[in-house]
Every structure is written in C-alpha cells, then in structure tokens.
Amino acid sequence: PKIFETPEDLPVPDRTHFYKNKFRFRYLCFKPLALVKNSYSCQRNCNFCFCTNRNGGRYACRSVDKLVDEIASLDVPAVHITDDNFLVSREYLKEFIRLVKEKDIHKKYLIYGRADFIANNEDIIKELAEIGLSLIMVGLEATNDEELDSYNKHVSLHENEECIRILSANHIFCAGLFIVHQAMTKDDFKKLYKWIASRD
C-alpha cells in the first residue's frame, strides 16, 4: 500500500562524498551544484506526468525555514531545489525571499516551475531573480492550445509566451521542456524547432 510521507522527516543529508568530489557535480554551466529535496508530489493533475502519483498523490512540503537553513549550510555557489514544482505559493516564495535576504545568502538557484505561475506572478519572479534565481525548467510541452488542452495542462499558449518574456526580461534561463509524442512528423519537428529558435 502507498504510504504518505512528509519531507519534514528527512534526515540532514550526509554530504561527505559530495564535498570530496563536488567539482564533479554540475548542471550545464552551474558548478559545483548541490541538490536539495524540499517537497514530494505535485498539486496539479497533468495527464502525462508521473509526479502527481508520487507519495500516494499527496503533496507535502518542508517549512521554509528548514529549506533556507539547509541552503545556508551548503558550501557551493549553486543549488538545484528539486521540487517537481517549486512555484506553488506566493506566500511560501515571499517568505523564502525574505529569509534568504535576512541570512545574507548569495547563491544561484535552479528550479522547476509552471508557465502559468510565472506568467501571472511577474513581481515574484523579479524578486527571485534578485536573490539568485538563474534557471527555471518549465514544462512548456507544446506550441498550440489544442495540444496543451489534450494534456490537461491548464496552461494557455499565451501564458507560455508570457512566461518566456518574463524570464528573458529578468535574465533567467528558460529551460523549456516539450513533449515529443509518437505521432510527430518530420514537419512537426521543424515547426517545433522554428518556434523555439524564434523565441531565443
């Protein structure tokens, strides 16, 4: 049977091996890079994604102060917060920003986040960029509303476009993730390439 767990119960990671080899740990140009696990599952229900099935389908997240304390303890310049979606709550993010500033933490952050949150919360994204948010892996998934609707994504193409604009304006790398399905043709790949290239 599936057992509900909370990341609040996770022990502090033993990073002995990590620190002995930390320059081997990287993501693209971000190195050395540490991983921080902060939540389980996801509050959304996109029909292609396994993340909602994790933890018995129940979302659970650590308190902000525990997350920030762990980040503050890391002797690395870059941190990947590995939540399936870190951009869940304005209140949580505002407290994250406040504590990072209060503790005078200076690092670069990589996260996963949804395009609709980014499109509708430009002020929060700007504040996150100011404290070091450098890359967001965004599930853009498709380049038209029909395909997005078929995935139960609850995001519009307009929101995807706004997301890209906001990240670019705040100098945050947009690592766009797209679904490549079995019915795609050579022409579909060309169209996808052109769409991505035209938006830098």
Side-chain angles (χ1 to χ4, degrees), residues 159-194:
E159 286 172 314
N160 275 357
E161 298 275 12
E162 269 295 282
C163 162
I164 294 165
R165 179 192 67 76
I166 289 166
L167 296 185
S168 177
N170 288 282
H171 309 289
I172 298 169
F173 285 112
C174 177
L177 309 175
F178 293 88
I179 292 176
V180 176
H181 57 80
Q182 284 111 325
M184 283 183 79
T185 65
K186 187 174 181 179
D187 189 50
D188 290 327
F189 278 97
K190 285 181 179 178
K191 286 178 183 174
L192 178 59
Y193 178 87
K194 284 177 73 174

PDB file of all heavy atoms in Angstrom, residues 159-194:
ATOM      1  N   GLU A 159       0.017  32.118 -22.022  1.00  0.00           N
ATOM      2  CA  GLU A 159       0.768  32.072 -20.764  1.00  0.00           C
ATOM      3  C   GLU A 159       2.190  31.560 -21.002  1.00  0.00           C
ATOM      4  O   GLU A 159       3.145  32.044 -20.369  1.00  0.00           O
ATOM      5  CB  GLU A 159       0.034  31.204 -19.747  1.00  0.00           C
ATOM      6  CG  GLU A 159      -1.199  31.886 -19.181  1.00  0.00           C
ATOM      7  CD  GLU A 159      -2.046  30.976 -18.323  1.00  0.00           C
ATOM      8  OE1 GLU A 159      -2.302  29.827 -18.755  1.00  0.00           O
ATOM      9  OE2 GLU A 159      -2.461  31.404 -17.234  1.00  0.00           O
ATOM     10  N   ASN A 160       2.355  30.593 -21.899  1.00  0.00           N
ATOM     11  CA  ASN A 160       3.703  30.138 -22.258  1.00  0.00           C
ATOM     12  C   ASN A 160       4.533  31.291 -22.814  1.00  0.00           C
ATOM     13  O   ASN A 160       5.704  31.473 -22.456  1.00  0.00           O
ATOM     14  CB  ASN A 160       3.624  29.009 -23.290  1.00  0.00           C
ATOM     15  CG  ASN A 160       3.427  27.639 -22.667  1.00  0.00           C
ATOM     16  OD1 ASN A 160       3.396  27.495 -21.446  1.00  0.00           O
ATOM     17  ND2 ASN A 160       3.275  26.630 -23.501  1.00  0.00           N
ATOM     18  N   GLU A 161       3.920  32.076 -23.695  1.00  0.00           N
ATOM     19  CA  GLU A 161       4.625  33.210 -24.313  1.00  0.00           C
ATOM     20  C   GLU A 161       4.994  34.253 -23.248  1.00  0.00           C
ATOM     21  O   GLU A 161       6.100  34.801 -23.253  1.00  0.00           O
ATOM     22  CB  GLU A 161       3.757  33.859 -25.391  1.00  0.00           C
ATOM     23  CG  GLU A 161       3.391  32.944 -26.556  1.00  0.00           C
ATOM     24  CD  GLU A 161       4.455  32.891 -27.640  1.00  0.00           C
ATOM     25  OE1 GLU A 161       5.586  33.372 -27.412  1.00  0.00           O
ATOM     26  OE2 GLU A 161       4.155  32.363 -28.731  1.00  0.00           O
ATOM     27  N   GLU A 162       4.057  34.532 -22.336  1.00  0.00           N
ATOM     28  CA  GLU A 162       4.325  35.489 -21.257  1.00  0.00           C
ATOM     29  C   GLU A 162       5.436  34.992 -20.350  1.00  0.00           C
ATOM     30  O   GLU A 162       6.295  35.758 -19.907  1.00  0.00           O
ATOM     31  CB  GLU A 162       3.056  35.720 -20.425  1.00  0.00           C
ATOM     32  CG  GLU A 162       2.188  36.852 -20.902  1.00  0.00           C
ATOM     33  CD  GLU A 162       2.887  38.195 -20.781  1.00  0.00           C
ATOM     34  OE1 GLU A 162       2.957  38.758 -19.671  1.00  0.00           O
ATOM     35  OE2 GLU A 162       3.391  38.678 -21.822  1.00  0.00           O
ATOM     36  N   CYS A 163       5.424  33.694 -20.060  1.00  0.00           N
ATOM     37  CA  CYS A 163       6.463  33.082 -19.239  1.00  0.00           C
ATOM     38  C   CYS A 163       7.841  33.327 -19.850  1.00  0.00           C
ATOM     39  O   CYS A 163       8.771  33.760 -19.161  1.00  0.00           O
ATOM     40  CB  CYS A 163       6.181  31.590 -19.111  1.00  0.00           C
ATOM     41  SG  CYS A 163       7.582  30.594 -18.583  1.00  0.00           S
ATOM     42  N   ILE A 164       7.963  33.057 -21.142  1.00  0.00           N
ATOM     43  CA  ILE A 164       9.246  33.238 -21.828  1.00  0.00           C
ATOM     44  C   ILE A 164       9.684  34.702 -21.771  1.00  0.00           C
ATOM     45  O   ILE A 164      10.848  35.016 -21.507  1.00  0.00           O
ATOM     46  CB  ILE A 164       9.144  32.752 -23.290  1.00  0.00           C
ATOM     47  CG1 ILE A 164       8.919  31.241 -23.323  1.00  0.00           C
ATOM     48  CG2 ILE A 164      10.395  33.112 -24.085  1.00  0.00           C
ATOM     49  CD1 ILE A 164       8.451  30.719 -24.670  1.00  0.00           C
ATOM     50  N   ARG A 165       8.749  35.606 -21.980  1.00  0.00           N
ATOM     51  CA  ARG A 165       9.058  37.046 -21.950  1.00  0.00           C
ATOM     52  C   ARG A 165       9.562  37.466 -20.568  1.00  0.00           C
ATOM     53  O   ARG A 165      10.579  38.165 -20.444  1.00  0.00           O
ATOM     54  CB  ARG A 165       7.818  37.867 -22.313  1.00  0.00           C
ATOM     55  CG  ARG A 165       8.057  39.385 -22.273  1.00  0.00           C
ATOM     56  CD  ARG A 165       6.782  40.184 -22.348  1.00  0.00           C
ATOM     57  NE  ARG A 165       5.927  40.031 -21.182  1.00  0.00           N
ATOM     58  CZ  ARG A 165       6.153  40.616 -19.999  1.00  0.00           C
ATOM     59  NH1 ARG A 165       7.221  41.374 -19.814  1.00  0.00           N
ATOM     60  NH2 ARG A 165       5.317  40.449 -18.993  1.00  0.00           N
ATOM     61  N   ILE A 166       8.866  37.030 -19.525  1.00  0.00           N
ATOM     62  CA  ILE A 166       9.220  37.422 -18.159  1.00  0.00           C
ATOM     63  C   ILE A 166      10.588  36.873 -17.766  1.00  0.00           C
ATOM     64  O   ILE A 166      11.415  37.581 -17.178  1.00  0.00           O
ATOM     65  CB  ILE A 166       8.131  36.955 -17.174  1.00  0.00           C
ATOM     66  CG1 ILE A 166       6.861  37.788 -17.377  1.00  0.00           C
ATOM     67  CG2 ILE A 166       8.604  37.042 -15.724  1.00  0.00           C
ATOM     68  CD1 ILE A 166       5.622  37.202 -16.706  1.00  0.00           C
ATOM     69  N   LEU A 167      10.858  35.616 -18.100  1.00  0.00           N
ATOM     70  CA  LEU A 167      12.161  35.039 -17.760  1.00  0.00           C
ATOM     71  C   LEU A 167      13.283  35.755 -18.501  1.00  0.00           C
ATOM     72  O   LEU A 167      14.333  36.066 -17.925  1.00  0.00           O
ATOM     73  CB  LEU A 167      12.173  33.539 -18.056  1.00  0.00           C
ATOM     74  CG  LEU A 167      11.206  32.685 -17.229  1.00  0.00           C
ATOM     75  CD1 LEU A 167      11.391  31.206 -17.532  1.00  0.00           C
ATOM     76  CD2 LEU A 167      11.367  32.947 -15.741  1.00  0.00           C
ATOM     77  N   SER A 168      13.057  36.060 -19.766  1.00  0.00           N
ATOM     78  CA  SER A 168      14.061  36.778 -20.546  1.00  0.00           C
ATOM     79  C   SER A 168      14.309  38.168 -19.959  1.00  0.00           C
ATOM     80  O   SER A 168      15.462  38.594 -19.805  1.00  0.00           O
ATOM     81  CB  SER A 168      13.602  36.896 -22.002  1.00  0.00           C
ATOM     82  OG  SER A 168      14.530  37.645 -22.750  1.00  0.00           O
ATOM     83  N   ALA A 169      13.243  38.872 -19.585  1.00  0.00           N
ATOM     84  CA  ALA A 169      13.367  40.227 -19.030  1.00  0.00           C
ATOM     85  C   ALA A 169      14.135  40.231 -17.722  1.00  0.00           C
ATOM     86  O   ALA A 169      14.773  41.226 -17.373  1.00  0.00           O
ATOM     87  CB  ALA A 169      11.975  40.823 -18.826  1.00  0.00           C
ATOM     88  N   ASN A 170      14.086  39.109 -16.984  1.00  0.00           N
ATOM     89  CA  ASN A 170      14.767  39.024 -15.694  1.00  0.00           C
ATOM     90  C   ASN A 170      16.071  38.225 -15.760  1.00  0.00           C
ATOM     91  O   ASN A 170      16.632  37.869 -14.728  1.00  0.00           O
ATOM     92  CB  ASN A 170      13.823  38.426 -14.651  1.00  0.00           C
ATOM     93  CG  ASN A 170      12.734  39.406 -14.260  1.00  0.00           C
ATOM     94  OD1 ASN A 170      12.969  40.324 -13.486  1.00  0.00           O
ATOM     95  ND2 ASN A 170      11.536  39.234 -14.814  1.00  0.00           N
ATOM     96  N   HIS A 171      16.533  37.951 -16.977  1.00  0.00           N
ATOM     97  CA  HIS A 171      17.812  37.264 -17.211  1.00  0.00           C
ATOM     98  C   HIS A 171      17.875  35.904 -16.526  1.00  0.00           C
ATOM     99  O   HIS A 171      18.897  35.511 -15.954  1.00  0.00           O
ATOM    100  CB  HIS A 171      18.981  38.148 -16.773  1.00  0.00           C
ATOM    101  CG  HIS A 171      18.920  39.529 -17.346  1.00  0.00           C
ATOM    102  ND1 HIS A 171      19.143  39.785 -18.683  1.00  0.00           N
ATOM    103  CD2 HIS A 171      18.622  40.719 -16.777  1.00  0.00           C
ATOM    104  CE1 HIS A 171      19.006  41.080 -18.910  1.00  0.00           C
ATOM    105  NE2 HIS A 171      18.679  41.670 -17.780  1.00  0.00           N
ATOM    106  N   ILE A 172      16.755  35.186 -16.577  1.00  0.00           N
ATOM    107  CA  ILE A 172      16.677  33.824 -16.057  1.00  0.00           C
ATOM    108  C   ILE A 172      16.630  32.872 -17.244  1.00  0.00           C
ATOM    109  O   ILE A 172      15.828  33.060 -18.158  1.00  0.00           O
ATOM    110  CB  ILE A 172      15.405  33.638 -15.191  1.00  0.00           C
ATOM    111  CG1 ILE A 172      15.428  34.575 -13.978  1.00  0.00           C
ATOM    112  CG2 ILE A 172      15.273  32.185 -14.737  1.00  0.00           C
ATOM    113  CD1 ILE A 172      14.106  34.636 -13.233  1.00  0.00           C
ATOM    114  N   PHE A 173      17.504  31.856 -17.238  1.00  0.00           N
ATOM    115  CA  PHE A 173      17.479  30.863 -18.317  1.00  0.00           C
ATOM    116  C   PHE A 173      16.127  30.146 -18.312  1.00  0.00           C
ATOM    117  O   PHE A 173      15.689  29.649 -17.269  1.00  0.00           O
ATOM    118  CB  PHE A 173      18.576  29.806 -18.117  1.00  0.00           C
ATOM    119  CG  PHE A 173      19.957  30.283 -18.442  1.00  0.00           C
ATOM    120  CD1 PHE A 173      20.896  30.439 -17.423  1.00  0.00           C
ATOM    121  CD2 PHE A 173      20.332  30.558 -19.743  1.00  0.00           C
ATOM    122  CE1 PHE A 173      22.178  30.868 -17.704  1.00  0.00           C
ATOM    123  CE2 PHE A 173      21.621  30.988 -20.038  1.00  0.00           C
ATOM    124  CZ  PHE A 173      22.541  31.145 -19.016  1.00  0.00           C
ATOM    125  N   CYS A 174      15.501  30.078 -19.469  1.00  0.00           N
ATOM    126  CA  CYS A 174      14.273  29.301 -19.620  1.00  0.00           C
ATOM    127  C   CYS A 174      14.652  27.966 -20.262  1.00  0.00           C
ATOM    128  O   CYS A 174      14.905  27.902 -21.467  1.00  0.00           O
ATOM    129  CB  CYS A 174      13.261  30.043 -20.497  1.00  0.00           C
ATOM    130  SG  CYS A 174      11.752  29.105 -20.805  1.00  0.00           S
ATOM    131  N   ALA A 175      14.705  26.911 -19.443  1.00  0.00           N
ATOM    132  CA  ALA A 175      14.971  25.570 -19.976  1.00  0.00           C
ATOM    133  C   ALA A 175      13.612  24.956 -20.298  1.00  0.00           C
ATOM    134  O   ALA A 175      12.976  24.337 -19.441  1.00  0.00           O
ATOM    135  CB  ALA A 175      15.733  24.734 -18.952  1.00  0.00           C
ATOM    136  N   GLY A 176      13.136  25.180 -21.498  1.00  0.00           N
ATOM    137  CA  GLY A 176      11.811  24.736 -21.901  1.00  0.00           C
ATOM    138  C   GLY A 176      11.777  23.235 -22.152  1.00  0.00           C
ATOM    139  O   GLY A 176      12.619  22.703 -22.871  1.00  0.00           O
ATOM    140  N   LEU A 177      10.804  22.571 -21.566  1.00  0.00           N
ATOM    141  CA  LEU A 177      10.624  21.138 -21.748  1.00  0.00           C
ATOM    142  C   LEU A 177       9.418  20.925 -22.662  1.00  0.00           C
ATOM    143  O   LEU A 177       8.367  21.542 -22.469  1.00  0.00           O
ATOM    144  CB  LEU A 177      10.391  20.453 -20.403  1.00  0.00           C
ATOM    145  CG  LEU A 177      11.416  20.786 -19.305  1.00  0.00           C
ATOM    146  CD1 LEU A 177      11.020  20.142 -17.997  1.00  0.00           C
ATOM    147  CD2 LEU A 177      12.807  20.353 -19.719  1.00  0.00           C
ATOM    148  N   PHE A 178       9.556  20.044 -23.651  1.00  0.00           N
ATOM    149  CA  PHE A 178       8.494  19.800 -24.629  1.00  0.00           C
ATOM    150  C   PHE A 178       8.204  18.309 -24.738  1.00  0.00           C
ATOM    151  O   PHE A 178       9.102  17.485 -24.590  1.00  0.00           O
ATOM    152  CB  PHE A 178       8.899  20.337 -26.009  1.00  0.00           C
ATOM    153  CG  PHE A 178       9.010  21.833 -26.054  1.00  0.00           C
ATOM    154  CD1 PHE A 178      10.197  22.456 -25.725  1.00  0.00           C
ATOM    155  CD2 PHE A 178       7.923  22.613 -26.410  1.00  0.00           C
ATOM    156  CE1 PHE A 178      10.312  23.842 -25.747  1.00  0.00           C
ATOM    157  CE2 PHE A 178       8.023  23.999 -26.438  1.00  0.00           C
ATOM    158  CZ  PHE A 178       9.213  24.609 -26.105  1.00  0.00           C
ATOM    159  N   ILE A 179       6.954  17.984 -25.011  1.00  0.00           N
ATOM    160  CA  ILE A 179       6.554  16.595 -25.200  1.00  0.00           C
ATOM    161  C   ILE A 179       6.755  16.216 -26.662  1.00  0.00           C
ATOM    162  O   ILE A 179       6.270  16.905 -27.565  1.00  0.00           O
ATOM    163  CB  ILE A 179       5.086  16.379 -24.786  1.00  0.00           C
ATOM    164  CG1 ILE A 179       4.953  16.548 -23.270  1.00  0.00           C
ATOM    165  CG2 ILE A 179       4.598  14.996 -25.222  1.00  0.00           C
ATOM    166  CD1 ILE A 179       3.534  16.453 -22.760  1.00  0.00           C
ATOM    167  N   VAL A 180       7.496  15.142 -26.868  1.00  0.00           N
ATOM    168  CA  VAL A 180       7.665  14.577 -28.213  1.00  0.00           C
ATOM    169  C   VAL A 180       6.831  13.304 -28.251  1.00  0.00           C
ATOM    170  O   VAL A 180       7.163  12.319 -27.600  1.00  0.00           O
ATOM    171  CB  VAL A 180       9.154  14.275 -28.487  1.00  0.00           C
ATOM    172  CG1 VAL A 180       9.318  13.600 -29.837  1.00  0.00           C
ATOM    173  CG2 VAL A 180       9.979  15.550 -28.420  1.00  0.00           C
ATOM    174  N   HIS A 181       5.703  13.349 -28.968  1.00  0.00           N
ATOM    175  CA  HIS A 181       4.805  12.203 -28.977  1.00  0.00           C
ATOM    176  C   HIS A 181       4.985  11.368 -30.246  1.00  0.00           C
ATOM    177  O   HIS A 181       5.565  11.811 -31.233  1.00  0.00           O
ATOM    178  CB  HIS A 181       3.348  12.660 -28.813  1.00  0.00           C
ATOM    179  CG  HIS A 181       2.895  13.640 -29.846  1.00  0.00           C
ATOM    180  ND1 HIS A 181       2.498  13.272 -31.106  1.00  0.00           N
ATOM    181  CD2 HIS A 181       2.786  15.001 -29.789  1.00  0.00           C
ATOM    182  CE1 HIS A 181       2.161  14.348 -31.788  1.00  0.00           C
ATOM    183  NE2 HIS A 181       2.332  15.409 -31.024  1.00  0.00           N
ATOM    184  N   GLN A 182       4.454  10.154 -30.208  1.00  0.00           N
ATOM    185  CA  GLN A 182       4.724   9.181 -31.277  1.00  0.00           C
ATOM    186  C   GLN A 182       4.152   9.590 -32.637  1.00  0.00           C
ATOM    187  O   GLN A 182       4.609   9.128 -33.668  1.00  0.00           O
ATOM    188  CB  GLN A 182       4.178   7.799 -30.894  1.00  0.00           C
ATOM    189  CG  GLN A 182       5.047   7.098 -29.870  1.00  0.00           C
ATOM    190  CD  GLN A 182       4.353   7.003 -28.525  1.00  0.00           C
ATOM    191  OE1 GLN A 182       3.619   7.892 -28.146  1.00  0.00           O
ATOM    192  NE2 GLN A 182       4.604   5.925 -27.803  1.00  0.00           N
ATOM    193  N   ALA A 183       3.159  10.472 -32.638  1.00  0.00           N
ATOM    194  CA  ALA A 183       2.538  10.857 -33.913  1.00  0.00           C
ATOM    195  C   ALA A 183       3.257  12.011 -34.601  1.00  0.00           C
ATOM    196  O   ALA A 183       2.870  12.427 -35.688  1.00  0.00           O
ATOM    197  CB  ALA A 183       1.072  11.237 -33.673  1.00  0.00           C
ATOM    198  N   MET A 184       4.337  12.515 -33.976  1.00  0.00           N
ATOM    199  CA  MET A 184       5.039  13.658 -34.569  1.00  0.00           C
ATOM    200  C   MET A 184       5.691  13.282 -35.895  1.00  0.00           C
ATOM    201  O   MET A 184       6.295  12.223 -36.022  1.00  0.00           O
ATOM    202  CB  MET A 184       6.076  14.228 -33.597  1.00  0.00           C
ATOM    203  CG  MET A 184       5.459  15.080 -32.507  1.00  0.00           C
ATOM    204  SD  MET A 184       6.676  15.828 -31.398  1.00  0.00           S
ATOM    205  CE  MET A 184       7.239  17.195 -32.400  1.00  0.00           C
ATOM    206  N   THR A 185       5.582  14.190 -36.861  1.00  0.00           N
ATOM    207  CA  THR A 185       6.184  14.000 -38.179  1.00  0.00           C
ATOM    208  C   THR A 185       7.442  14.852 -38.288  1.00  0.00           C
ATOM    209  O   THR A 185       7.725  15.682 -37.421  1.00  0.00           O
ATOM    210  CB  THR A 185       5.197  14.436 -39.273  1.00  0.00           C
ATOM    211  OG1 THR A 185       4.975  15.849 -39.133  1.00  0.00           O
ATOM    212  CG2 THR A 185       3.872  13.690 -39.165  1.00  0.00           C
ATOM    213  N   LYS A 186       8.164  14.668 -39.359  1.00  0.00           N
ATOM    214  CA  LYS A 186       9.355  15.476 -39.612  1.00  0.00           C
ATOM    215  C   LYS A 186       8.976  16.960 -39.649  1.00  0.00           C
ATOM    216  O   LYS A 186       9.690  17.820 -39.120  1.00  0.00           O
ATOM    217  CB  LYS A 186       9.992  15.052 -40.939  1.00  0.00           C
ATOM    218  CG  LYS A 186      11.331  15.699 -41.220  1.00  0.00           C
ATOM    219  CD  LYS A 186      11.956  15.119 -42.474  1.00  0.00           C
ATOM    220  CE  LYS A 186      13.313  15.731 -42.750  1.00  0.00           C
ATOM    221  NZ  LYS A 186      13.942  15.162 -43.964  1.00  0.00           N
ATOM    222  N   ASP A 187       7.825  17.260 -40.257  1.00  0.00           N
ATOM    223  CA  ASP A 187       7.356  18.641 -40.338  1.00  0.00           C
ATOM    224  C   ASP A 187       7.053  19.200 -38.948  1.00  0.00           C
ATOM    225  O   ASP A 187       7.320  20.371 -38.665  1.00  0.00           O
ATOM    226  CB  ASP A 187       6.106  18.714 -41.225  1.00  0.00           C
ATOM    227  CG  ASP A 187       5.710  20.147 -41.526  1.00  0.00           C
ATOM    228  OD1 ASP A 187       6.589  20.934 -41.942  1.00  0.00           O
ATOM    229  OD2 ASP A 187       4.524  20.492 -41.330  1.00  0.00           O
ATOM    230  N   ASP A 188       6.502  18.365 -38.058  1.00  0.00           N
ATOM    231  CA  ASP A 188       6.219  18.807 -36.682  1.00  0.00           C
ATOM    232  C   ASP A 188       7.511  19.182 -35.958  1.00  0.00           C
ATOM    233  O   ASP A 188       7.555  20.168 -35.219  1.00  0.00           O
ATOM    234  CB  ASP A 188       5.504  17.696 -35.900  1.00  0.00           C
ATOM    235  CG  ASP A 188       4.083  17.481 -36.380  1.00  0.00           C
ATOM    236  OD1 ASP A 188       3.442  18.457 -36.804  1.00  0.00           O
ATOM    237  OD2 ASP A 188       3.626  16.317 -36.326  1.00  0.00           O
ATOM    238  N   PHE A 189       8.558  18.389 -36.170  1.00  0.00           N
ATOM    239  CA  PHE A 189       9.852  18.702 -35.540  1.00  0.00           C
ATOM    240  C   PHE A 189      10.402  20.022 -36.073  1.00  0.00           C
ATOM    241  O   PHE A 189      10.954  20.827 -35.322  1.00  0.00           O
ATOM    242  CB  PHE A 189      10.857  17.570 -35.784  1.00  0.00           C
ATOM    243  CG  PHE A 189      10.722  16.417 -34.833  1.00  0.00           C
ATOM    244  CD1 PHE A 189      10.014  15.282 -35.187  1.00  0.00           C
ATOM    245  CD2 PHE A 189      11.298  16.469 -33.569  1.00  0.00           C
ATOM    246  CE1 PHE A 189       9.887  14.215 -34.299  1.00  0.00           C
ATOM    247  CE2 PHE A 189      11.178  15.414 -32.680  1.00  0.00           C
ATOM    248  CZ  PHE A 189      10.464  14.284 -33.046  1.00  0.00           C
ATOM    249  N   LYS A 190      10.251  20.264 -37.362  1.00  0.00           N
ATOM    250  CA  LYS A 190      10.723  21.529 -37.951  1.00  0.00           C
ATOM    251  C   LYS A 190       9.963  22.715 -37.360  1.00  0.00           C
ATOM    252  O   LYS A 190      10.559  23.746 -37.048  1.00  0.00           O
ATOM    253  CB  LYS A 190      10.537  21.496 -39.471  1.00  0.00           C
ATOM    254  CG  LYS A 190      11.551  20.632 -40.196  1.00  0.00           C
ATOM    255  CD  LYS A 190      11.309  20.663 -41.710  1.00  0.00           C
ATOM    256  CE  LYS A 190      12.341  19.820 -42.445  1.00  0.00           C
ATOM    257  NZ  LYS A 190      12.076  19.804 -43.900  1.00  0.00           N
ATOM    258  N   LYS A 191       8.644  22.553 -37.202  1.00  0.00           N
ATOM    259  CA  LYS A 191       7.832  23.631 -36.634  1.00  0.00           C
ATOM    260  C   LYS A 191       8.226  23.905 -35.188  1.00  0.00           C
ATOM    261  O   LYS A 191       8.308  25.055 -34.757  1.00  0.00           O
ATOM    262  CB  LYS A 191       6.343  23.261 -36.710  1.00  0.00           C
ATOM    263  CG  LYS A 191       5.747  23.359 -38.095  1.00  0.00           C
ATOM    264  CD  LYS A 191       4.279  22.919 -38.076  1.00  0.00           C
ATOM    265  CE  LYS A 191       3.694  22.949 -39.477  1.00  0.00           C
ATOM    266  NZ  LYS A 191       2.313  22.375 -39.480  1.00  0.00           N
ATOM    267  N   LEU A 192       8.457  22.835 -34.427  1.00  0.00           N
ATOM    268  CA  LEU A 192       8.870  22.987 -33.038  1.00  0.00           C
ATOM    269  C   LEU A 192      10.206  23.697 -32.957  1.00  0.00           C
ATOM    270  O   LEU A 192      10.396  24.633 -32.165  1.00  0.00           O
ATOM    271  CB  LEU A 192       8.955  21.623 -32.349  1.00  0.00           C
ATOM    272  CG  LEU A 192       9.423  21.607 -30.910  1.00  0.00           C
ATOM    273  CD1 LEU A 192       8.522  22.429 -30.002  1.00  0.00           C
ATOM    274  CD2 LEU A 192       9.531  20.178 -30.378  1.00  0.00           C
ATOM    275  N   TYR A 193      11.157  23.304 -33.811  1.00  0.00           N
ATOM    276  CA  TYR A 193      12.469  23.940 -33.847  1.00  0.00           C
ATOM    277  C   TYR A 193      12.342  25.440 -34.144  1.00  0.00           C
ATOM    278  O   TYR A 193      12.963  26.276 -33.481  1.00  0.00           O
ATOM    279  CB  TYR A 193      13.373  23.260 -34.872  1.00  0.00           C
ATOM    280  CG  TYR A 193      14.727  23.926 -34.983  1.00  0.00           C
ATOM    281  CD1 TYR A 193      15.766  23.567 -34.138  1.00  0.00           C
ATOM    282  CD2 TYR A 193      14.957  24.943 -35.933  1.00  0.00           C
ATOM    283  CE1 TYR A 193      17.002  24.189 -34.225  1.00  0.00           C
ATOM    284  CE2 TYR A 193      16.186  25.572 -35.997  1.00  0.00           C
ATOM    285  CZ  TYR A 193      17.202  25.203 -35.148  1.00  0.00           C
ATOM    286  OH  TYR A 193      18.409  25.826 -35.227  1.00  0.00           O
ATOM    287  N   LYS A 194      11.532  25.768 -35.140  1.00  0.00           N
ATOM    288  CA  LYS A 194      11.365  27.173 -35.537  1.00  0.00           C
ATOM    289  C   LYS A 194      10.728  27.978 -34.417  1.00  0.00           C
ATOM    290  O   LYS A 194      11.125  29.114 -34.149  1.00  0.00           O
ATOM    291  CB  LYS A 194      10.506  27.272 -36.807  1.00  0.00           C
ATOM    292  CG  LYS A 194      11.248  26.896 -38.081  1.00  0.00           C
ATOM    293  CD  LYS A 194      10.346  26.936 -39.291  1.00  0.00           C
ATOM    294  CE  LYS A 194      10.021  28.371 -39.673  1.00  0.00           C
ATOM    295  NZ  LYS A 194       9.250  28.429 -40.951  1.00  0.00           N
TER     296      LYS A 194
END
